[in-house]
Amino acid sequence: MIQVQAKSVFAHFMVGNTYSYDQSTWEDDMNLAKEAHIDGFALNIGADSYTQTQLDNAYAAATAVGGFSLFISFDYAANSAWTTSDVQSMMARYGGQSPQFQLNSKAVVSTFEGGDSTSTDWGAIGSQFSLVPDWSSNQGDFVSSGKVNNVAGALNWNAWPVYPSLTMDTSDDTTWKNMLGGKAYMMAVSPWFYTNCYGKNWLWSPEDLWYDRWQQVIQFQPEFVEILTWNDYGESHYIGPLRPAGFPTGSERYAGNMPHDGFRELLPYYIDAYKNGNSSSTADITAEKLVYYHKINPSTSGNQGGTTANSAMNGQTTYPPTDASKDYIFVDVLLNSPADVSVTVGSNPSTQLKAMNAGVSHFSVDLQGQTGNVTYTVSRNGQQAFTTTGPAIVEASVSDPVNQMINWNAISGSTTCTTS
């Protein structure tokens, strides 16, 4: 079993989206995660008929890949009837396997919600395993109800700003850290949020979230980090590869042909900086990179699809989606030395940017109604270092001729220049 007390980074993995997987698919995902310096997967499970088959595949794949840890996150929103014996039985099958992540010499058990479950004896689970749940909905009584006494740590699912806020801060992280009183805190990071399936239809502001949140992780120094998510296509916050067989019904329209692979490109730098305690040497940069991410449709170019900013079902005041999702191109560059960065949309004049320092620089470019292919160029002293042309920004009538529905998801990509 993998005993990790040092800082670790996991990606939340929806096992419900893996019914077409075999062991080799799991291995492929795990190798991609390892390349991004991710330490393991938190395996979210519901009550699907193929859950145990896929958990078997996952643990076998992690054993074959090596150096990659796993723990199970029991989803109480998808299956409210997990019993104490259900959890114990599942952990008896997997808790002793070599990839199983441990904390305090016990196998880790996590959850999505479930803090108020009457079917599970959390005292029994917490004494047998290292319980690190997401009980974000129970923040108000986490301490007063004694829930804190049953856990070895906690994940806080709060990873997106609620409008009218356009940015995240660490106030909620600080609250959870204080409530845990020295127990392990698992901080959530996510690149995006938009959903329009299974009766859900809202977005939370993406803005500069991916860059900003990693800077907060590096400064806050939590014991663990959980990326939300590897493969939740339905909520548009996946950083893993597109696997269309796993798209939830209805998400094909906005997740199909919308890769998020670019979100992984700078993770080795961010994760190493987090683990090194707010330091990452630019001498370790062997390849300069440019990463971009943006919507493909201007926010006023078509049918908004009934989407709101914020979630009424979560008790939030809703607003027009255009209030929270601005028309920007987001650009991150990882460089060995200062450089000029230009962003050109179609035949419009270029936006000129300046990366003043080595390391990561982040930019937001206002589209101002422009459409067309987007070209990115990095130059020094007037000489082009590297360039790439990314996906076009188009009217909704072009990307969706039938419904002319705006896609509020992001597309993300990157280019690399190997340095000597």
Side-chain angles (χ1 to χ4, degrees):
M1 287 176 281
I2 298 176
Q3 175 70 28
V4 180
Q5 300 286 26
K7 289 173 281 191
S8 300
V9 176
F10 304 93
H12 199 80
F13 193 108
M14 308 300 291
V15 176
N17 292 342
T18 66
Y19 70 90
S20 66
Y21 272 41
D22 57 19
Q23 183 177 325
S24 66
T25 319
W26 280 101
E27 290 180 15
D28 182 49
D29 277 2
M30 290 173 184
N31 281 317
L32 289 172
K34 286 185 70 173
E35 288 174 11
H37 293 197
I38 294 169
D39 297 296
F41 287 154
L43 300 172
N44 176 293
I45 62 169
D48 300 295
S49 60
Y50 47 87
T51 293
Q52 190 154 296
T53 296
Q54 292 303 340
L55 286 178
D56 287 347
N57 282 337
Y59 275 82
T63 300
V65 167
F68 196 78
S69 58
L70 303 173
F71 61 90
I72 297 173
S73 174
F74 293 85
D75 192 328
Y76 280 75
N79 175 26
S80 60
W82 292 112
T83 66
T84 306
S85 61
D86 288 334
V87 176
Q88 291 170 331
S89 176
M90 195 72 76
M91 293 307 298
R93 186 178 182 92
Y94 301 106
Q97 295 196 31
S98 58
Q100 173 64 45
F101 179 65
Q102 288 199 333
L103 176 65
N104 302 331
S105 301
K106 295 180 180 180
V108 166
V109 169
S110 190
T111 74
F112 178 71
E113 298 297 351
D116 288 327
S117 173
T118 58
S119 60
T120 308
D121 181 344
W122 292 120
I125 297 301
S127 64
Q128 188 174 357
F129 308 103
S130 283
L131 179 60
V132 186
D134 159 45
W135 287 344
S136 301
S137 297
N138 298 107
Q139 180 170 328
D141 72 344
F142 182 72
V143 174
S144 62
S145 66
K147 291 181 176 68
V148 66
N149 299 324
N150 296 323
V151 306
L155 164 66
N156 174 19
W157 198 260
N158 184 12
W160 305 275
V162 176
Y163 191 79
S165 177
L166 295 174
T167 58
M168 289 285 293
D169 62 28
T170 57
S171 58
D172 207 41
D173 302 293
T174 299
T175 296
W176 274 97
K177 182 80 171 173
N178 291 340
M179 287 193 303
L180 285 165
K183 295 180 179 181
Y185 177 58
M186 188 173 285
M187 189 170 174
V189 182
S190 189
W192 208 265
F193 191 103
Y194 164 58
T195 184
N196 191 357
C197 63
Y198 295 155
K200 303 183 296 184
N201 188 5
W202 76 86
L203 61 82
W204 282 312
S205 177
E207 297 304 300
D208 306 288
L209 181 62
W210 189 236
Y211 172 81
D212 286 350
R213 194 62 172 156
W214 276 109
Q215 305 315 304
Q216 291 169 1
V217 165
I218 293 166
Q219 293 293 327
F220 197 82
Q221 290 289 293
E223 286 78 10
F224 305 118
V225 175
E226 189 161 321
I227 297 169
L228 311 179
T229 60
W230 184 261
N231 65 334
D232 193 335
Y233 307 110
E235 294 186 350
S236 304
H237 44 62
Y238 50 93
I239 67 165
L242 292 176
R243 302 210 184 270
F247 288 177
T249 301
S251 68
E252 304 91 343
R253 179 189 64 80
Y254 56 88
N257 299 313
M258 296 289 283
H260 283 189
D261 301 292
F263 287 123
R264 297 197 307 274
E265 280 297 315
L266 298 187
L267 280 182
Y269 186 87
Y270 292 148
I271 291 172
D272 289 356
Y274 154 62
K275 290 184 177 181
N276 292 336
N278 197 19
S279 64
S280 186
S281 172
T282 56
D284 296 332
I285 301 174
T286 57
E288 296 188 311
K289 297 177 182 288
L290 181 147
V291 175
Y292 58 83
Y293 41 105
H294 56 82
K295 301 194 304 288
I296 62 169
N297 302 137
S299 297
T300 58
S301 69
N303 178 2
Q304 294 182 354
T307 299
T308 60
N310 298 345
S311 166
M313 70 169 54
N314 288 325
Q316 298 167 358
T317 301
T318 60
Y319 299 85
T322 50
D323 288 0
S325 182
K326 307 300 183 182
D327 290 340
Y328 288 96
I329 297 171
F330 304 99
V331 182
D332 297 324
V333 289
L334 176 65
L335 302 173
N336 276 315
S337 60
D340 299 304
V341 181
S342 71
V343 179
T344 309
V345 182
S347 58
N348 297 287
S350 299
T351 298
Q352 302 297 326
L353 310 164
K354 183 72 174 180
M356 301 298 293
N357 302 296
V360 176
S361 296
H362 173 75
F363 306 100
S364 303
V365 178
D366 191 340
L367 276 174
Q368 298 181 327
Q370 299 175 4
T371 58
N373 291 323
V374 187
T375 300
Y376 310 86
T377 303
V378 176
S379 304
R380 292 186 177 92
N381 302 317
Q383 298 296 312
Q384 179 179 298
F386 56 102
T387 187
T388 190
T389 298
I393 296 170
V394 299
E395 300 288 313
S397 60
V398 176
S399 59
D400 184 5
V402 176
N403 299 307
Q404 300 185 22
M405 192 174 294
I406 294 168
N407 189 344
W408 300 99
N409 189 11
I411 196 164
S412 176
S414 64
T415 188
T416 297
C417 177
T418 302
T419 61
S420 57

